[in-house]
PDB file of all heavy atoms in Angstrom:
ATOM      1  N   PRO A1096     144.854 -30.126-102.172  1.00  0.00           N
ATOM      2  CA  PRO A1096     143.991 -28.925-102.220  1.00  0.00           C
ATOM      3  C   PRO A1096     142.875 -28.970-101.189  1.00  0.00           C
ATOM      4  O   PRO A1096     142.396 -30.055-100.834  1.00  0.00           O
ATOM      5  CB  PRO A1096     143.426 -28.951-103.646  1.00  0.00           C
ATOM      6  CG  PRO A1096     143.644 -30.325-104.153  1.00  0.00           C
ATOM      7  CD  PRO A1096     144.763 -30.919-103.405  1.00  0.00           C
ATOM      8  N   ARG A1097     142.462 -27.787-100.735  1.00  0.00           N
ATOM      9  CA  ARG A1097     141.355 -27.649 -99.767  1.00  0.00           C
ATOM     10  C   ARG A1097     141.612 -28.422 -98.494  1.00  0.00           C
ATOM     11  O   ARG A1097     140.718 -28.964 -97.890  1.00  0.00           O
ATOM     12  CB  ARG A1097     140.005 -28.051-100.412  1.00  0.00           C
ATOM     13  CG  ARG A1097     139.591 -27.196-101.615  1.00  0.00           C
ATOM     14  CD  ARG A1097     138.446 -27.758-102.372  1.00  0.00           C
ATOM     15  NE  ARG A1097     138.756 -29.000-103.036  1.00  0.00           N
ATOM     16  CZ  ARG A1097     139.474 -29.115-104.175  1.00  0.00           C
ATOM     17  NH1 ARG A1097     139.930 -28.054-104.767  1.00  0.00           N
ATOM     18  NH2 ARG A1097     139.735 -30.299-104.682  1.00  0.00           N
ATOM     19  N   HIS A1098     142.868 -28.516 -98.093  1.00  0.00           N
ATOM     20  CA  HIS A1098     143.205 -29.178 -96.845  1.00  0.00           C
ATOM     21  C   HIS A1098     143.712 -28.219 -95.783  1.00  0.00           C
ATOM     22  O   HIS A1098     144.321 -28.613 -94.811  1.00  0.00           O
ATOM     23  CB  HIS A1098     144.224 -30.291 -97.093  1.00  0.00           C
ATOM     24  CG  HIS A1098     143.565 -31.569 -97.535  1.00  0.00           C
ATOM     25  ND1 HIS A1098     142.732 -31.623 -98.609  1.00  0.00           N
ATOM     26  CD2 HIS A1098     143.546 -32.840 -97.013  1.00  0.00           C
ATOM     27  CE1 HIS A1098     142.267 -32.859 -98.784  1.00  0.00           C
ATOM     28  NE2 HIS A1098     142.754 -33.599 -97.814  1.00  0.00           N
ATOM     29  N   ARG A1099     143.527 -26.927 -96.063  1.00  0.00           N
ATOM     30  CA  ARG A1099     143.861 -25.931 -95.028  1.00  0.00           C
ATOM     31  C   ARG A1099     142.707 -24.965 -94.901  1.00  0.00           C
ATOM     32  O   ARG A1099     142.189 -24.419 -95.871  1.00  0.00           O
ATOM     33  CB  ARG A1099     145.107 -25.162 -95.413  1.00  0.00           C
ATOM     34  CG  ARG A1099     145.491 -24.113 -94.362  1.00  0.00           C
ATOM     35  CD  ARG A1099     146.654 -23.221 -94.785  1.00  0.00           C
ATOM     36  NE  ARG A1099     146.658 -22.063 -93.955  1.00  0.00           N
ATOM     37  CZ  ARG A1099     147.292 -21.987 -92.776  1.00  0.00           C
ATOM     38  NH1 ARG A1099     147.961 -23.003 -92.307  1.00  0.00           N
ATOM     39  NH2 ARG A1099     147.208 -20.902 -92.053  1.00  0.00           N
ATOM     40  N   LEU A1100     142.250 -24.757 -93.674  1.00  0.00           N
ATOM     41  CA  LEU A1100     141.169 -23.828 -93.384  1.00  0.00           C
ATOM     42  C   LEU A1100     141.679 -22.890 -92.278  1.00  0.00           C
ATOM     43  O   LEU A1100     142.188 -23.347 -91.266  1.00  0.00           O
ATOM     44  CB  LEU A1100     139.936 -24.560 -92.887  1.00  0.00           C
ATOM     45  CG  LEU A1100     139.292 -25.560 -93.891  1.00  0.00           C
ATOM     46  CD1 LEU A1100     138.419 -26.558 -93.153  1.00  0.00           C
ATOM     47  CD2 LEU A1100     138.475 -24.775 -94.897  1.00  0.00           C
ATOM     48  N   ASP A1101     141.561 -21.581 -92.537  1.00  0.00           N
ATOM     49  CA  ASP A1101     142.041 -20.649 -91.498  1.00  0.00           C
ATOM     50  C   ASP A1101     141.191 -19.411 -91.395  1.00  0.00           C
ATOM     51  O   ASP A1101     140.103 -19.344 -91.950  1.00  0.00           O
ATOM     52  CB  ASP A1101     143.541 -20.377 -91.716  1.00  0.00           C
ATOM     53  CG  ASP A1101     143.811 -19.557 -92.963  1.00  0.00           C
ATOM     54  OD1 ASP A1101     142.889 -18.865 -93.453  1.00  0.00           O
ATOM     55  OD2 ASP A1101     144.951 -19.607 -93.467  1.00  0.00           O
ATOM     56  N   ALA A1102     141.717 -18.401 -90.700  1.00  0.00           N
ATOM     57  CA  ALA A1102     140.933 -17.182 -90.409  1.00  0.00           C
ATOM     58  C   ALA A1102     140.537 -16.419 -91.681  1.00  0.00           C
ATOM     59  O   ALA A1102     139.634 -15.553 -91.629  1.00  0.00           O
ATOM     60  CB  ALA A1102     141.691 -16.295 -89.450  1.00  0.00           C
ATOM     61  N   GLY A1103     141.232 -16.689 -92.787  1.00  0.00           N
ATOM     62  CA  GLY A1103     140.758 -16.213 -94.080  1.00  0.00           C
ATOM     63  C   GLY A1103     140.790 -14.730 -94.310  1.00  0.00           C
ATOM     64  O   GLY A1103     141.446 -13.958 -93.605  1.00  0.00           O
ATOM     65  N   THR A1104     140.026 -14.331 -95.341  1.00  0.00           N
ATOM     66  CA  THR A1104     140.037 -12.942 -95.827  1.00  0.00           C
ATOM     67  C   THR A1104     139.621 -11.961 -94.718  1.00  0.00           C
ATOM     68  O   THR A1104     140.154 -10.853 -94.636  1.00  0.00           O
ATOM     69  CB  THR A1104     139.045 -12.811 -96.992  1.00  0.00           C
ATOM     70  OG1 THR A1104     139.379 -13.808 -97.982  1.00  0.00           O
ATOM     71  CG2 THR A1104     139.079 -11.419 -97.620  1.00  0.00           C
ATOM     72  N   PHE A1105     138.676 -12.401 -93.878  1.00  0.00           N
ATOM     73  CA  PHE A1105     138.138 -11.502 -92.861  1.00  0.00           C
ATOM     74  C   PHE A1105     138.958 -11.510 -91.602  1.00  0.00           C
ATOM     75  O   PHE A1105     138.702 -10.768 -90.630  1.00  0.00           O
ATOM     76  CB  PHE A1105     136.689 -11.961 -92.556  1.00  0.00           C
ATOM     77  CG  PHE A1105     135.757 -10.896 -92.143  1.00  0.00           C
ATOM     78  CD1 PHE A1105     135.934  -9.554 -92.511  1.00  0.00           C
ATOM     79  CD2 PHE A1105     134.607 -11.192 -91.408  1.00  0.00           C
ATOM     80  CE1 PHE A1105     135.057  -8.561 -92.115  1.00  0.00           C
ATOM     81  CE2 PHE A1105     133.693 -10.201 -91.036  1.00  0.00           C
ATOM     82  CZ  PHE A1105     133.934  -8.887 -91.396  1.00  0.00           C
ATOM     83  N   GLY A1106     139.960 -12.423 -91.534  1.00  0.00           N
ATOM     84  CA  GLY A1106     140.804 -12.531 -90.332  1.00  0.00           C
ATOM     85  C   GLY A1106     139.989 -12.892 -89.105  1.00  0.00           C
ATOM     86  O   GLY A1106     140.221 -12.390 -88.034  1.00  0.00           O
ATOM     87  N   THR A1107     138.997 -13.810 -89.286  1.00  0.00           N
ATOM     88  CA  THR A1107     138.089 -14.101 -88.181  1.00  0.00           C
ATOM     89  C   THR A1107     138.673 -15.125 -87.218  1.00  0.00           C
ATOM     90  O   THR A1107     139.037 -16.224 -87.654  1.00  0.00           O
ATOM     91  CB  THR A1107     136.764 -14.652 -88.772  1.00  0.00           C
ATOM     92  OG1 THR A1107     136.330 -13.791 -89.827  1.00  0.00           O
ATOM     93  CG2 THR A1107     135.706 -14.700 -87.676  1.00  0.00           C
ATOM     94  N   MET A1108     138.715 -14.769 -85.959  1.00  0.00           N
ATOM     95  CA  MET A1108     139.156 -15.745 -84.943  1.00  0.00           C
ATOM     96  C   MET A1108     137.908 -16.420 -84.359  1.00  0.00           C
ATOM     97  O   MET A1108     136.873 -15.771 -84.151  1.00  0.00           O
ATOM     98  CB  MET A1108     139.953 -15.067 -83.851  1.00  0.00           C
ATOM     99  CG  MET A1108     141.258 -14.490 -84.356  1.00  0.00           C
ATOM    100  SD  MET A1108     142.310 -15.716 -85.101  1.00  0.00           S
ATOM    101  CE  MET A1108     143.360 -14.668 -86.149  1.00  0.00           C
ATOM    102  N   GLY A1109     138.035 -17.696 -84.062  1.00  0.00           N
ATOM    103  CA  GLY A1109     136.901 -18.478 -83.553  1.00  0.00           C
ATOM    104  C   GLY A1109     136.307 -19.419 -84.589  1.00  0.00           C
ATOM    105  O   GLY A1109     135.405 -20.199 -84.321  1.00  0.00           O
ATOM    106  N   VAL A1110     136.882 -19.374 -85.812  1.00  0.00           N
ATOM    107  CA  VAL A1110     136.382 -20.223 -86.867  1.00  0.00           C
ATOM    108  C   VAL A1110     136.805 -21.687 -86.755  1.00  0.00           C
ATOM    109  O   VAL A1110     136.152 -22.596 -87.276  1.00  0.00           O
ATOM    110  CB  VAL A1110     136.845 -19.730 -88.293  1.00  0.00           C
ATOM    111  CG1 VAL A1110     136.182 -18.447 -88.657  1.00  0.00           C
ATOM    112  CG2 VAL A1110     138.363 -19.596 -88.355  1.00  0.00           C
ATOM    113  N   GLY A1111     137.905 -21.918 -86.044  1.00  0.00           N
ATOM    114  CA  GLY A1111     138.559 -23.233 -86.038  1.00  0.00           C
ATOM    115  C   GLY A1111     137.659 -24.422 -85.672  1.00  0.00           C
ATOM    116  O   GLY A1111     137.487 -25.351 -86.478  1.00  0.00           O
ATOM    117  N   PRO A1112     137.023 -24.424 -84.508  1.00  0.00           N
ATOM    118  CA  PRO A1112     136.204 -25.601 -84.132  1.00  0.00           C
ATOM    119  C   PRO A1112     135.082 -25.848 -85.150  1.00  0.00           C
ATOM    120  O   PRO A1112     134.845 -27.002 -85.520  1.00  0.00           O
ATOM    121  CB  PRO A1112     135.649 -25.218 -82.758  1.00  0.00           C
ATOM    122  CG  PRO A1112     136.728 -24.358 -82.172  1.00  0.00           C
ATOM    123  CD  PRO A1112     137.194 -23.492 -83.341  1.00  0.00           C
ATOM    124  N   GLY A1113     134.413 -24.804 -85.608  1.00  0.00           N
ATOM    125  CA  GLY A1113     133.335 -24.992 -86.603  1.00  0.00           C
ATOM    126  C   GLY A1113     133.861 -25.610 -87.890  1.00  0.00           C
ATOM    127  O   GLY A1113     133.285 -26.564 -88.441  1.00  0.00           O
ATOM    128  N   PHE A1114     134.979 -25.086 -88.356  1.00  0.00           N
ATOM    129  CA  PHE A1114     135.601 -25.616 -89.587  1.00  0.00           C
ATOM    130  C   PHE A1114     135.995 -27.067 -89.406  1.00  0.00           C
ATOM    131  O   PHE A1114     135.770 -27.927 -90.276  1.00  0.00           O
ATOM    132  CB  PHE A1114     136.857 -24.811 -89.974  1.00  0.00           C
ATOM    133  CG  PHE A1114     136.590 -23.445 -90.567  1.00  0.00           C
ATOM    134  CD1 PHE A1114     137.654 -22.603 -90.890  1.00  0.00           C
ATOM    135  CD2 PHE A1114     135.299 -23.011 -90.832  1.00  0.00           C
ATOM    136  CE1 PHE A1114     137.433 -21.367 -91.446  1.00  0.00           C
ATOM    137  CE2 PHE A1114     135.067 -21.738 -91.393  1.00  0.00           C
ATOM    138  CZ  PHE A1114     136.129 -20.930 -91.700  1.00  0.00           C
ATOM    139  N   ALA A1115     136.564 -27.362 -88.233  1.00  0.00           N
ATOM    140  CA  ALA A1115     137.023 -28.748 -87.969  1.00  0.00           C
ATOM    141  C   ALA A1115     135.816 -29.697 -87.934  1.00  0.00           C
ATOM    142  O   ALA A1115     135.894 -30.795 -88.453  1.00  0.00           O
ATOM    143  CB  ALA A1115     137.788 -28.795 -86.653  1.00  0.00           C
ATOM    144  N   ILE A1116     134.715 -29.245 -87.328  1.00  0.00           N
ATOM    145  CA  ILE A1116     133.537 -30.082 -87.253  1.00  0.00           C
ATOM    146  C   ILE A1116     133.030 -30.367 -88.664  1.00  0.00           C
ATOM    147  O   ILE A1116     132.717 -31.516 -89.023  1.00  0.00           O
ATOM    148  CB  ILE A1116     132.456 -29.410 -86.366  1.00  0.00           C
ATOM    149  CG1 ILE A1116     132.884 -29.480 -84.894  1.00  0.00           C
ATOM    150  CG2 ILE A1116     131.098 -30.022 -86.572  1.00  0.00           C
ATOM    151  CD1 ILE A1116     132.091 -28.641 -83.942  1.00  0.00           C
ATOM    152  N   ALA A1117     132.971 -29.331 -89.514  1.00  0.00           N
ATOM    153  CA  ALA A1117     132.530 -29.538 -90.895  1.00  0.00           C
ATOM    154  C   ALA A1117     133.405 -30.551 -91.621  1.00  0.00           C
ATOM    155  O   ALA A1117     132.911 -31.484 -92.273  1.00  0.00           O
ATOM    156  CB  ALA A1117     132.499 -28.187 -91.625  1.00  0.00           C
ATOM    157  N   ALA A1118     134.709 -30.350 -91.495  1.00  0.00           N
ATOM    158  CA  ALA A1118     135.629 -31.242 -92.202  1.00  0.00           C
ATOM    159  C   ALA A1118     135.490 -32.672 -91.716  1.00  0.00           C
ATOM    160  O   ALA A1118     135.502 -33.619 -92.487  1.00  0.00           O
ATOM    161  CB  ALA A1118     137.068 -30.731 -92.021  1.00  0.00           C
ATOM    162  N   ALA A1119     135.338 -32.826 -90.390  1.00  0.00           N
ATOM    163  CA  ALA A1119     135.247 -34.162 -89.823  1.00  0.00           C
ATOM    164  C   ALA A1119     133.917 -34.830 -90.194  1.00  0.00           C
ATOM    165  O   ALA A1119     133.886 -36.037 -90.464  1.00  0.00           O
ATOM    166  CB  ALA A1119     135.406 -34.118 -88.311  1.00  0.00           C
ATOM    167  N   VAL A1120     132.828 -34.078 -90.225  1.00  0.00           N
ATOM    168  CA  VAL A1120     131.535 -34.635 -90.624  1.00  0.00           C
ATOM    169  C   VAL A1120     131.647 -35.115 -92.074  1.00  0.00           C
ATOM    170  O   VAL A1120     131.156 -36.203 -92.411  1.00  0.00           O
ATOM    171  CB  VAL A1120     130.420 -33.545 -90.456  1.00  0.00           C
ATOM    172  CG1 VAL A1120     129.156 -33.984 -91.190  1.00  0.00           C
ATOM    173  CG2 VAL A1120     130.120 -33.349 -88.978  1.00  0.00           C
ATOM    174  N   LEU A1121     132.293 -34.360 -92.921  1.00  0.00           N
ATOM    175  CA  LEU A1121     132.473 -34.784 -94.334  1.00  0.00           C
ATOM    176  C   LEU A1121     133.300 -36.064 -94.390  1.00  0.00           C
ATOM    177  O   LEU A1121     132.968 -36.988 -95.122  1.00  0.00           O
ATOM    178  CB  LEU A1121     133.221 -33.709 -95.097  1.00  0.00           C
ATOM    179  CG  LEU A1121     132.429 -32.588 -95.783  1.00  0.00           C
ATOM    180  CD1 LEU A1121     133.378 -31.690 -96.550  1.00  0.00           C
ATOM    181  CD2 LEU A1121     131.383 -33.152 -96.720  1.00  0.00           C
ATOM    182  N   GLU A1122     134.390 -36.090 -93.620  1.00  0.00           N
ATOM    183  CA  GLU A1122     135.242 -37.276 -93.611  1.00  0.00           C
ATOM    184  C   GLU A1122     134.460 -38.491 -93.161  1.00  0.00           C
ATOM    185  O   GLU A1122     134.588 -39.574 -93.737  1.00  0.00           O
ATOM    186  CB  GLU A1122     136.425 -37.077 -92.656  1.00  0.00           C
ATOM    187  CG  GLU A1122     137.430 -36.019 -93.091  1.00  0.00           C
ATOM    188  CD  GLU A1122     137.973 -36.284 -94.467  1.00  0.00           C
ATOM    189  OE1 GLU A1122     138.333 -37.414 -94.755  1.00  0.00           O
ATOM    190  OE2 GLU A1122     137.965 -35.343 -95.263  1.00  0.00           O
ATOM    191  N   GLN A1123     133.590 -38.302 -92.129  1.00  0.00           N
ATOM    192  CA  GLN A1123     132.799 -39.414 -91.620  1.00  0.00           C
ATOM    193  C   GLN A1123     131.839 -39.924 -92.699  1.00  0.00           C
ATOM    194  O   GLN A1123     131.707 -41.088 -92.917  1.00  0.00           O
ATOM    195  CB  GLN A1123     131.991 -38.922 -90.430  1.00  0.00           C
ATOM    196  CG  GLN A1123     132.424 -39.519 -89.140  1.00  0.00           C
ATOM    197  CD  GLN A1123     131.523 -39.131 -87.992  1.00  0.00           C
ATOM    198  OE1 GLN A1123     130.523 -38.465 -88.125  1.00  0.00           O
ATOM    199  NE2 GLN A1123     131.893 -39.568 -86.796  1.00  0.00           N
ATOM    200  N   THR A1124     131.204 -38.956 -93.402  1.00  0.00           N
ATOM    201  CA  THR A1124     130.247 -39.346 -94.443  1.00  0.00           C
ATOM    202  C   THR A1124     130.975 -40.117 -95.550  1.00  0.00           C
ATOM    203  O   THR A1124     130.472 -41.095 -96.091  1.00  0.00           O
ATOM    204  CB  THR A1124     129.596 -38.121 -95.063  1.00  0.00           C
ATOM    205  OG1 THR A1124     129.204 -37.249 -94.028  1.00  0.00           O
ATOM    206  CG2 THR A1124     128.405 -38.460 -95.926  1.00  0.00           C
TER     207      THR A1124
END
Side-chain angles (χ1 to χ4, degrees):
R1097 298 169 294 282
H1098 276 55
R1099 180 186 163 87
L1100 297 161
D1101 67 22
T1104 306
F1105 211 24
T1107 311
M1108 295 302 158
V1110 290
F1114 285 177
I1116 287 169
V1120 166
L1121 272 182
E1122 293 304 313
Q1123 248 185 4
T1124 313

